[in-house]
Amino acid sequence: MRDASPQTVYLADYTPFGWKVESVSLAFTLDPHATRVRCRMTLTPNPGAPKQDFFLHGENLQLISAKIDGQLVTPDITADGLRCAVPDRAFLWESEVEIDPANNTALEGLYMSNGMYCTQCEAEGFRKITYYPDRPDVMSVFSVTIDGPHPVLLSNGNPVSTSEGRAEWHDPWPKPAYLFALVAGDLVAHQGSFTTRSGAEVALNLYVRPGDEGKCAFGMEALKASMKWDEEVYGREYDLDLFNIVAVDDFNMGAMENKGLNIFNSSAVLASPETSTDTNFERIEAIIAHEYFHNWTGNRITCRDWFQLCLKEGLTVFRDSQFTADMRSAPVKRISDVIDLRARQFPEDQGPLAHPVRPESFQEVNNFYTATVYEKGAEVIHMLKTLVGDAAYADALDLYFTRHDGDAATIEDWLKVFEDSTGRDLTQFKRWYSQAGTPHLSVTEQWEDGTLTLAFRQETKPSAASPAPAPQVIPIAVGLIARDGSEAAATRVLEMDQAEQSFTFEGLAERPVASILRDFSAPVVLDHPMPDADRAHLVAHDTDPFNRWEAARTLARKSLIAMITEGAAPDAAYLDALAAVVTDKALDPAFRALMLGLPSQTDLAGTLDQAGHTPDPARIYTAAEAMRDAQAQRLADDLAALHSDNQVTAPYRPDAEQSGKRALANAALALISRQDGGARAARQFTDADNMTQQLAALACSLRAGNGQDLLASFETQWKDDRLVMDKWFSLQVIEAAPDEAAATARRLTEHPDFNWKNPNRFRAVFGALAMHHAGFHHASGAGYELLTDWLIRLDPVNPQTTARMCSAFQTWRRYDEDRQSMIRDQVTRLLDTDGLSRDTTEMLSRIAAA
Ligand code: TRP
Ligand code: ZN
């Protein structure tokens, strides 16, 4: 139901809860439509809190009874909770409520998925389970009893007792309610074990539905690797006898770090070579690590309030990228992270949804699980580490864990740890947490008498969230490459803290080529004019792998922009530089595959917009296609060898080495398919014994126009595998021509397996449509209209997923008048929908306010 007047919550209004919850016992009697939840908790007045009414959150609950110290009471019930008179001392609160998990389609609170019960409580889902102070700074010790006719009954912590139809759990670690979890169902366990550094045995289980047992081995190994890595790198050990992971098909996001009982979207944990791509394997490994790492950064140290979300998310994303860098290739991981940041965070930071890494107000907290909080939040920690150095970072983290273990902490606490352990003043650095927007960093060079001067200027466009941005501390990693390709100076980190600032490099024998913002040392847009020949020199010789890749990407971007705006031909110098690197067998195949990539069409639209041009999606599409053809032509003599030399003959392993080879071979196949009508791709499809090879071949064939039969045989082969069928749905949209993207998506919605209430399936079609730049932004407006039809349908069922998908419209101000007015019409149509959720209303109002 739509709130009459959506309430805005402000960081500045924080006040502690008036009571402490000494301990809480929950008893569940499971029933699809009438689950009973009894809650008993001892509350004591919190001496540090201002006087306040006794208020417990609660939504969609049917109160059966409430008691204080055993006496029935009659609280005032509202749509968001209850109020009750309470004694001015410690007391026992008891309540019983009834809930309806089978009708809970929002997938928040206790709900059912394929006959199993599961929960999702972050951020504010626990209030749909029982009346409770549902805020992260209220931490308590939970005991849970579950009654239900299911073979598997799980909750957080350690098992106390299990018998037929009943299980009791106790979690000794005080935790906020958002980390509560319960699972009940007919599940099978894939078992493992881990011995901690101090010798404790931990039982590990990955629970899946019968039939999915064969997709657990990789996740289990990733979990063990994560546990070991956190001990070795951060000195963090696991702290319970048991660690459970459960795979669930209906889930709004990737996974959730509930204490001792992580719940995963099945797409984020189930893997097998036949059904998962190399990219899937890498993502699964990273998500398992991410959720496991939350045990310390999130659970043992949690957030005081939801404004501090980046305290756990930014840090945990940073930790999981360090893990992936260690397990696989650090340069490849860094480049992939920057591609992702530009694809998802830059548009957010440069549009109407821009908000600081630590926002200061919101209406619906679910709308702030964003690329800015997560990925930019991680970039801020990367900068902090670059500024203080590796050793000081390690010391600061040790201090953070000892000082704040058991706390619900803030960003102020986090920065204070760094200040205390390094003696640095981080007042100005803190702007990275409080200011929205992507800084633009421009640099000009001056060369005189063996001295190179770099003059920098930083500027952040004002936004609604930050109307007057001030200069930020920007660590700029710079190296110098000599004319002969050797290093004229090793990496030096410049610390910029003014709007304009110059730095000099002295005593140079000749003018070098400057390699600026190495390793992407700050999340900024860099404008560093230099001759194309110098850029090509960096492509050939930069010793920083990120900047070597970035130099090629910049040449590609420049050439594409010239093709779009001036009808220029593809830049031959770029193609030559590319060919030299891609055919260099001394280089990692994964890196060479990344070199072959182009900036996405959305990314190009952003670049055009920032430069004051109105992006035309059709022209961008045509230019990108022409550039692909040019790559294929320039590399024509090498492609067959690139494809065949990088075939893996050893048994399939999803590791960095094999997946790098497959990535390069399949990048070559994509170019080959532009020239052979898809013949080789069709052969690869038939020969493939793993999903990476099969899916790449199918994509190439669809592009080349000979894929329809393969599509049908793929469907026959995989119709019973939900996760593979998600790929089948999305690939057709991804590979559709711009004129056909919306029609393809519409046709897929008529497929009997288009189960739109399942978020994975909905996103397979509509996430793909929103990402098809030229298809979604087609001049007909068909993409806008179709997405809107379906968002209107989904909103009453699942507001959280609907609201997230509204971000497809966030870049609307970039486009021409016609497109803007078509989008405005659709956004208005959505906003005018009766009963629109608070989630979706907030997203659309922010987008429309641009
Ligand atoms: N904390 C989770 C993570 O970082 C993400 C999360 C937040 C989530 N809200 C959610 C997951 C709702 C699923 C559903 O991994
Ligand atoms: Zn997380």
Side-chain angles (χ1 to χ4, degrees):
M1 88 211 85
R2 185 176 188 163
D3 295 24
S5 57
Q7 290 288 302
T8 301
V9 190
Y10 295 92
L11 166 61
D13 291 347
Y14 173 80
T15 35
F17 185 55
W19 291 264
K20 293 195 162 152
V21 181
E22 298 299 335
S23 64
V24 48
S25 302
L26 300 170
F28 290 82
T29 308
L30 298 175
D31 181 276
H33 288 291
T35 288
R36 288 288 174 110
V37 185
R38 281 170 293 136
C39 170
R40 284 166 63 93
M41 54 184 166
T42 319
L43 294 133
T44 55
N46 178 0
K51 268 247 152 306
Q52 56 196 273
D53 286 355
F54 181 70
F55 176 78
L56 299 177
H57 297 105
E59 282 174 27
N60 304 338
L61 306 173
Q62 194 195 323
L63 183 65
I64 306 296
S65 68
K67 290 179 193 164
I68 288 177
D69 290 336
Q71 299 295 307
L72 281 172
V73 290
T74 317
D76 287 336
I77 312 271
T78 62
D80 56 0
L82 65 73
R83 240 167 266 277
C84 193
V86 298
D88 200 5
R89 53 170 167 77
F91 63 92
L92 174 70
W93 168 266
E94 292 168 281
S95 68
E96 180 164 359
V97 300
E98 191 172 294
I99 52 179
D100 183 355
N103 275 326
N104 180 355
T105 57
L107 315 182
E108 203 185 40
L110 178 68
Y111 66 94
M112 299 194 75
S113 170
N114 284 324
M116 74 189 264
Y117 292 84
C118 60
T119 54
Q120 173 55 42
C121 293
E122 188 177 5
E124 299 181 333
F126 192 72
R127 61 191 64 183
K128 296 181 168 184
I129 294 176
T130 191
Y131 286 102
Y132 196 77
D134 186 8
R135 38 187 291 169
D137 59 343
V138 173
M139 299 170 81
S140 191
V141 171
F142 283 63
S143 301
V144 177
T145 304
I146 313 167
D147 284 298
H150 310 275
V152 174
L153 301 168
L154 306 173
S155 190
N156 315 86
N158 297 317
V160 178
S161 74
T162 4
S163 54
E164 181 84 24
R166 158 166 288 207
E168 282 180 54
W169 292 83
H170 178 74
D171 182 359
W173 297 103
K175 67 169 176 288
Y178 83 86
L179 291 172
F180 167 81
L182 177 152
V183 169
D186 181 8
L187 300 170
V188 285
H190 177 99
Q191 299 181 322
S193 72
F194 182 81
T195 310
T196 67
R197 197 171 52 168
S198 43
E201 278 297 313
V202 184
L204 311 176
N205 294 295
L206 208 169
Y207 284 97
V208 297
R209 294 205 290 147
D212 287 337
E213 298 91 330
K215 294 182 174 180
C216 298
F218 178 79
M220 180 58 76
E221 291 316 305
L223 174 59
K224 292 182 203 167
S226 308
M227 295 177 87
K228 187 152 178 288
W229 187 91
D230 214 14
E231 292 185 347
E232 285 171 356
V233 180
Y234 279 85
R236 299 297 109 201
E237 286 186 33
Y238 189 59
D239 54 7
L240 289 166
D241 307 338
L242 182 63
F243 189 83
N244 286 325
I245 292 179
V246 180
V248 174
D249 287 336
D250 299 279
F251 206 67
N252 279 333
M253 308 246 255
M256 179 63 211
E257 70 264 23
N258 317 299
K259 184 79 187 190
L261 179 53
N262 288 0
I263 299 184
F264 274 61
N265 187 323
S266 48
S267 75
V269 58
L270 299 182
S272 74
E274 298 72 36
T275 59
S276 314
T277 62
D278 291 330
T279 315
N280 294 152
F281 277 100
E282 183 174 336
R283 173 169 178 266
I284 287 167
E285 181 178 87
I287 298 182
I288 287 183
H290 179 98
E291 305 311 331
Y292 175 73
F293 295 159
H294 268 314
N295 191 55
W296 274 93
T297 52
N299 302 2
R300 290 285 287 261
I301 305 180
T302 194
C303 302
R304 187 193 69 173
D305 53 68
W306 292 119
F307 298 103
Q308 320 296 330
L309 183 58
C310 64
L311 180 75
K312 73 176 178 83
E313 296 303 347
L315 178 54
T316 305
V317 171
F318 181 67
R319 276 152 49 70
D320 83 56
S321 38
Q322 289 181 299
F323 169 77
T324 300
D326 282 356
M327 298 287 289
R328 293 166 178 266
S329 150
V332 166
K333 173 62 176 165
R334 189 66 189 135
I335 293 165
S336 315
D337 280 352
V338 174
I339 291 173
D340 181 66
L341 191 78
R342 286 180 177 149
R344 300 191 302 113
Q345 201 276 326
F346 279 22
E348 187 168 273
D349 225 357
Q350 296 164 8
L353 298 178
H355 54 276
V357 169
R358 182 175 70 177
E360 274 151 33
S361 69
F362 58 70
Q363 290 173 7
E364 172 50 62
V365 63
N366 281 330
N367 290 336
F368 284 84
Y369 286 74
T370 60
T372 297
V373 170
Y374 276 64
E375 276 75 27
K376 189 177 178 182
E379 291 299 325
V380 172
I381 295 174
H382 180 235
M383 286 190 285
L384 200 49
K385 181 162 176 282
T386 304
L387 287 169
V388 303
D390 293 354
Y393 174 81
D395 290 347
L397 267 284
D398 285 346
L399 180 59
Y400 180 63
F401 291 122
T402 37
R403 186 185 282 179
H404 290 294
D405 187 11
D407 287 354
T410 62
I411 287 302
E412 282 73 17
D413 294 329
W414 162 254
L415 290 175
K416 184 80 168 53
V417 159
F418 279 81
E419 292 192 321
D420 290 354
S421 74
T422 65
R424 263 175 187 260
D425 178 355
L426 293 172
T427 315
Q428 188 186 358
F429 184 82
K430 194 178 172 190
R431 287 182 188 150
W432 281 107
Y433 287 100
S434 61
Q435 281 185 184
T438 312
H440 281 239
L441 182 65
S442 51
V443 52
T444 52
E445 297 185 23
Q446 210 199 324
W447 170 252
E448 211 182 320
D449 296 338
T451 297
L452 178 71
T453 304
L454 300 178
F456 291 94
R457 220 178 96 76
Q458 59 165 300
E459 192 181 359
T460 304
K461 280 207 183 121
S463 60
S466 299
Q472 290 171 215
V473 180
I474 304 182
I476 309 169
V478 176
L480 303 177
I481 302 295
R483 296 289 149 184
D484 66 359
S486 68
E487 257 190 351
T491 304
R492 176 175 144 198
V493 178
L494 312 176
E495 266 186 62
M496 183 183 192
D497 56 10
Q498 311 288 313
E500 295 186 21
Q501 210 165 341
S502 295
F503 299 87
T504 57
F505 294 77
E506 287 160 13
L508 298 164
E510 51 159 11
R511 181 170 186 166
V513 180
S515 165
I516 297 178
L517 210 68
R518 286 186 149 188
D519 201 38
F520 202 64
S521 59
V524 301
V525 173
L526 176 66
D527 178 18
H528 177 200
M530 71 163 98
D532 285 353
D534 284 2
R535 198 103 53 198
H537 189 67
L538 292 180
V539 176
H541 302 293
D542 203 325
T543 47
D544 179 73
F546 173 80
N547 258 9
R548 192 170 182 188
W549 170 83
E550 178 78 330
R553 176 136 297 207
T554 305
L555 285 175
R557 186 186 303 274
K558 268 191 66 186
S559 176
L560 283 159
I561 298 294
M563 292 163 74
I564 296 160
T565 57
E566 303 157 21
D571 176 14
Y574 158 67
L575 294 168
D576 290 345
L578 178 72
V581 172
V582 167
T583 55
D584 182 348
K585 290 189 178 154
L587 294 171
D588 176 7
F591 179 77
R592 290 148 72 194
L594 285 167
M595 277 280 180
L596 277 169
L598 294 176
S600 74
Q601 293 171 45
T602 309
D603 190 341
L604 291 169
T607 304
L608 286 164
D609 175 52
Q610 302 274 314
H613 297 283
T614 301
D616 176 346
R619 286 185 74 98
I620 295 174
Y621 179 86
T622 309
E625 286 293 300
M627 184 62 100
R628 286 285 178 214
D629 284 335
Q631 286 184 336
Q633 271 163 30
R634 176 64 184 79
L635 288 162
D637 295 341
D638 305 301
L639 291 174
L642 279 173
H643 184 251
S644 56
D645 293 354
N646 289 291
Q647 294 304 311
V648 176
T649 47
Y652 181 91
R653 277 181 284 116
D655 60 9
E657 192 198 331
Q658 280 199 7
S659 53
K661 285 185 148 192
R662 282 186 287 267
L664 181 55
N666 287 330
L669 184 66
L671 297 178
I672 291 170
S673 305
R674 292 179 169 267
Q675 301 185 321
D676 76 348
R680 184 175 296 237
R683 260 180 286 146
Q684 176 169 319
F685 183 92
T686 313
D687 297 345
D689 64 357
N690 64 72
M691 184 50 68
T692 306
Q693 294 295 89
Q694 192 180 15
L695 198 69
L698 181 57
C700 292
S701 307
L702 286 172
R703 261 301 152 94
N706 74 336
Q708 289 308 315
D709 292 350
L710 304 187
L711 200 58
S713 84
F714 189 95
E715 184 185 9
T716 310
Q717 184 182 356
W718 295 116
K719 61 181 184 317
D720 296 325
D721 189 302
R722 307 170 304 280
L723 297 174
V724 179
M725 284 305 283
D726 286 335
K727 302 182 202 304
W728 182 85
F729 275 91
S730 67
L731 193 67
Q732 295 178 65
V733 180
I734 293 169
E735 300 301 338
D739 288 347
E740 280 152 30
T744 303
R746 182 193 302 276
R747 182 173 47 72
L748 288 170
T749 63
E750 284 152 17
H751 190 285
D753 290 334
F754 182 68
N755 170 12
W756 58 275
K757 294 185 183 173
N758 175 268
N760 290 359
R761 191 57 50 92
F762 190 92
R763 279 190 293 254
V765 172
F766 289 107
L769 178 62
M771 275 170 34
H772 191 309
H773 186 254
F776 182 59
H777 294 286
H778 192 270
S780 65
Y784 306 146
E785 201 176 326
L786 184 70
L787 179 66
T788 302
D789 290 346
W790 280 91
L791 292 180
I792 288 173
R793 192 151 174 185
L794 186 65
D795 186 67
V797 168
N798 186 334
Q800 200 180 330
T801 291
T802 309
R804 289 185 80 78
M805 297 209 54
C806 290
S807 59
F809 293 121
Q810 72 178 332
T811 54
W812 70 291
R813 278 295 196 185
R814 285 178 180 172
Y815 299 96
D816 53 87
E817 256 315 311
D818 284 352
R819 285 186 174 82
Q820 286 197 28
S821 89
M822 287 190 291
I823 296 178
R824 205 183 299 109
D825 288 351
Q826 298 304 325
V827 168
T828 308
R829 178 157 74 98
L830 254 161
L831 272 170
D832 286 346
T833 307
D834 264 354
L836 196 70
S837 68
R838 172 174 60 189
D839 309 52
T840 304
T841 306
E842 182 189 26
M843 289 294 278
L844 293 171
S845 340
R846 286 163 64 209
I847 289 170

